[in-house]
Amino acid sequence: MSLNNCPHCLLHLQGTTNDHDFPSNNNYDYSNSATFEGSVAVSAPNPLKIMFSSARDDASGDFSFKDGIIAITYDVEVEDTSDPGHTFTFSASGNTLTATCNQTSQYHNCNLGTSRKSTLMLTANDASFDNQRHSATLNLTDFSAETGITDIKTTYSYTNNATSESSGTAPNLIGDYTVTVTIIINSDNEHPYMLTTNFSILAGFNVNNTYSQFSLSKSSALEGEAMTITYTHRWMRVLKG
């Protein structure tokens, strides 16, 4: 018989390419053998086929297989269908770090929605002066819950924009500040990510409270800033002489 895609093959494995063909030697030396070592994906609808051809393409060609043995040995490779988990690439812009999952396994169940992304955001809000230190924050809890990444190291630096002085301690004085956070993910010290944002501590209005029944959520506030006032009822005993 003739194989259209390999007319002069002693051994041809099923397929449209000839990568695994063993060529005919066109002689009658019956001691020859053909050996193929490799990997071929087979299944019930796509079985392994071994085909032989004669040395000639015409119909009068003959094929002889005398006292031969066809021995097929194979190792079964079991496909791993478990979810390999996320594979992330990271990018930083402004106050936001974006983790994008690019896992291509068909068995991966990505829980990050159609965008396949999760964001880590640096937040620093303007505040009124109250002699307290005002720190920037990262939404680490949400980010870790979404991505499964728990090895995250952060270093904060606060710069006074007027004096250019920097410190790892959050500021408590009136002024304009830039906070920068350096993020190391999965101990990859060679690829840190930098996020930055600005905030101010402003001179607010002091609130004088002389009544013990009232307590204030803050001692000063900016114009339009919300403040909580809590009233506690107190009994008073009047003594008569």
Side-chain angles (χ1 to χ4, degrees), residues 85-126:
H86 296 297
T87 301
F88 286 113
T89 56
F90 302 95
S91 61
S93 177
N95 70 329
T96 304
L97 174 72
T98 301
T100 303
C101 178
N102 55 14
Q103 174 59 254
T104 59
S105 170
Q106 62 177 317
Y107 303 113
H108 177 50
N109 181 23
C110 190
N111 62 339
L112 300 177
T114 56
S115 68
R116 297 170 68 98
K117 295 180 179 180
S118 180
T119 56
L120 179 62
M121 298 185 65
L122 175 66
T123 302
N125 298 318
D126 290 345

Side-chain angles (χ1 to χ4, degrees), residues 114-205:
T114 56
S115 68
R116 297 170 68 98
K117 295 180 179 180
S118 180
T119 56
L120 179 62
M121 298 185 65
L122 175 66
T123 302
N125 298 318
D126 290 345
S128 59
F129 173 76
D130 55 5
N131 205 32
Q132 303 297 313
R133 297 194 179 277
H134 295 273
S135 303
T137 59
L138 287 167
N139 58 327
L140 285 172
T141 301
D142 293 341
F143 183 77
S144 294
E146 289 179 351
T147 62
I149 301 172
T150 57
D151 185 0
I152 304 176
K153 296 180 176 62
T154 59
T155 303
Y156 290 83
S157 177
Y158 297 88
T159 300
N160 186 313
N161 295 338
T163 65
S164 298
E165 294 180 355
S166 297
S167 172
T169 303
N172 64 338
L173 300 178
I174 294 171
D176 299 320
Y177 298 90
T178 296
V179 55
T180 301
V181 60
T182 303
I183 302 172
I184 303 294
I185 296 178
N186 295 328
S187 300
D188 187 2
N189 296 305
E190 295 184 359
H191 299 91
Y193 300 96
M194 311 285 286
L195 302 182
T196 184
T197 193
N198 300 316
F199 72 103
S200 299
I201 298 178
L202 304 170
F205 298 94

Side-chain angles (χ1 to χ4, degrees), residues 72-88:
I72 301 176
T73 60
Y74 62 92
D75 295 321
V76 177
E77 183 176 312
V78 179
E79 186 175 11
D80 184 3
T81 60
S82 60
D83 190 336
H86 296 297
T87 301
F88 286 113

